[in-house]
Amino acid sequence: MAKAITITCKNPGETFNLGVSLGKILVGGDVVTLQGELGAGKTCFTKGIAHGLGITNTNTVTSPSFTIINEYQGRLPLFHMDFYRLENEEVTSDLGLEEYLYGQGVTVIEWPERLAGIIPAGRLEVCFIFAAEDRREIVLIPHGKDWEERIAKIAENLVL
Ligand code: ADP
Ligand code: MG
């Protein structure tokens, strides 16, 4: 069983900064899934990832709930997906998701549980726990690739 790491974030800035640390070490083809209730901090964290990837205007990073996929260009392309509103699994087959998931960019997915079948096995799972109004427990769970080593390095060098 790969080792999960839990990090406490006491304000949105800390959640953003954790995202920045992750964004800095991402490589092409990485997939990151974000789970947690509405308001848990998934989009805040994604803004940090975008910043870490060198995307300058992270204010434009918003929940893509209505568009499903937003695309940004930084050091690598970032595909930000949100399947919150997805009701019908068949719709996903029309989106050509494999092209993103197995392409050269980075894919960040909110509500991955809505498209169960097609998430790559090698990925970083991030779970957001709404611990209090201003406190989130963020759990990094490595699945395959070299994620276990990479999250250990993030935790080691982390300054929030
Ligand atoms: P989600 O995408 O999971 O629905 P958002 O990132 O859009 O969540 O919203 C998180 C909200 O919670 C923001 O309004 C943010 O200011 C607030 N918040 C308060 N404390 C934190 C924290 N520690 N981390 C992240 N967000 C926090
Ligand atoms: Mg969101």
Side-chain angles (χ1 to χ4, degrees):
M1 189 49 188
K3 203 163 160 277
I5 295 177
T6 301
I7 291 157
T8 301
C9 292
K10 295 185 292 300
N11 56 58
E14 292 192 354
T15 300
F16 179 89
N17 287 338
L18 180 58
V20 174
S21 301
L22 174 60
K24 283 183 179 162
I25 58 107
L26 290 173
V27 298
D30 279 343
V31 175
V32 180
T33 57
L34 311 182
Q35 275 168 268
E37 60 192 281
L38 275 181
K42 303 182 293 298
T43 298
C44 179
F45 183 79
T46 306
K47 284 180 198 235
I49 291 178
H51 188 80
L53 281 169
I55 294 157
T56 44
N57 192 2
T58 55
N59 285 332
T60 63
V61 180
T62 54
S63 256
S65 293
F66 294 97
T67 49
I68 302 186
I69 303 171
N70 284 340
E71 197 172 328
Y72 307 92
Q73 187 62 53
R75 174 170 67 75
L76 296 164
L78 169 64
F79 307 116
H80 179 204
M81 306 180 181
D82 185 331
F83 294 103
Y84 181 61
R85 276 163 216 282
L86 199 74
E87 282 162 20
N88 182 343
E89 272 222 28
E90 288 139 51
V91 181
T92 59
S93 58
D94 299 334
L95 294 170
L97 292 176
E98 285 83 357
E99 272 200 47
Y100 297 101
L101 294 170
Y102 297 98
Q104 285 314 298
V106 167
T107 307
V108 175
I109 309 174
E110 298 189 40
W111 298 94
E113 50 275 59
R114 304 267 154 106
L115 68 150
I118 60 168
I119 304 271
R123 70 180 203 281
L124 177 65
E125 177 182 355
V126 186
C127 293
F128 294 75
I129 300 161
F130 194 114
E133 196 49 54
D134 61 352
R135 189 163 55 86
R136 308 292 191 265
E137 302 288 349
I138 300 181
V139 189
L140 307 174
I141 306 163
H143 296 280
K145 290 177 92 175
D146 56 347
W147 279 117
E148 189 168 353
E149 292 78 17
R150 283 202 271 168
I151 62 170
K153 217 168 269 172
I154 288 175
E156 211 177 283
N157 299 321
L158 193 66
V159 184
L160 291 179

